[in-house]
Amino acid sequence: MSTIKSTATVSTHIGRSIEEVFDFITTAANWVKWHPATVSVSGDVDHPALEGETIVEVVRFGMARDRFAWKVEEREAPHRWVIRAKSERHGQKVKITYDLRPEAGGTHWEREMVFYLPGWFKYLDKLFINRALTRNSRKAVRQLKELLESH
C-alpha cells in the first residue's frame, strides 16, 4: 500500500534561554500545559527525555482519541530532539523534530511534525488533515511561547 507524507512546520521566538526551552519542551509532563491535543502522558515524563526513552501520549483530534508510544530517536541538548511513534488506532507513523538555536533575547524554536499516512488518506489530507495539523501546531507553539514568557 502506498504512503503519503503530510508535514506541518511552525516556528517562533521565545524570550527564554535555549536550555530552559529545551528542558521544558522535552519534559513530556509539560505537554498537557501547552499542547492542545495532549490529553495525558505516561512513561518517561518527569525529566527531559533521553535517547531511547519512551513516552506514551493520549491525544485528541476532533472527536477522536488516539494513543502514541513515542520513542526518543535523537537528542542533542539543547539544540535538537527527535521522536517517532505509531498511532495505535489507525497505524499512522509520526515523526516530530524540535530544532532550537540561540537568538537575540532568547531562543528560536522550530517544530516539524511529519505524518506518514496510508495512501487512501490522500484526499482527506488535502481537504482537512494537513490544515488541521498545521492549525493545531501553530496553537501549540503560541501557547508554549505565552506560557514560558509569562513566568
Side-chain angles (χ1 to χ4, degrees), residues 56-103:
V56 177
E57 178 186 29
V58 175
V59 300
R60 177 182 47 250
F61 189 72
M63 297 299 290
R65 287 188 183 218
D66 206 343
R67 187 176 146 111
F68 293 84
W70 296 101
K71 183 82 158 188
V72 180
E73 286 194 341
E74 187 180 334
R75 183 180 191 274
E76 298 172 22
H79 300 282
R80 185 173 172 83
W81 195 65
V82 179
I83 57 176
R84 191 181 294 264
K86 184 177 179 180
S87 157
E88 280 187 5
R89 188 167 184 195
H90 296 292
Q92 304 99 321
K93 295 179 181 177
V94 186
K95 177 181 176 186
I96 296 178
T97 303
Y98 293 165
D99 284 308
L100 299 90
R101 71 173 186 271
E103 195 172 68

Side-chain angles (χ1 to χ4, degrees), residues 4 6 25 55 70 73 87 94 106 109 113:
I4 63 166
S6 184
I25 63 178
I55 299 155
W70 296 101
E73 286 194 341
S87 157
V94 186
W109 174 45
M113 180 172 58

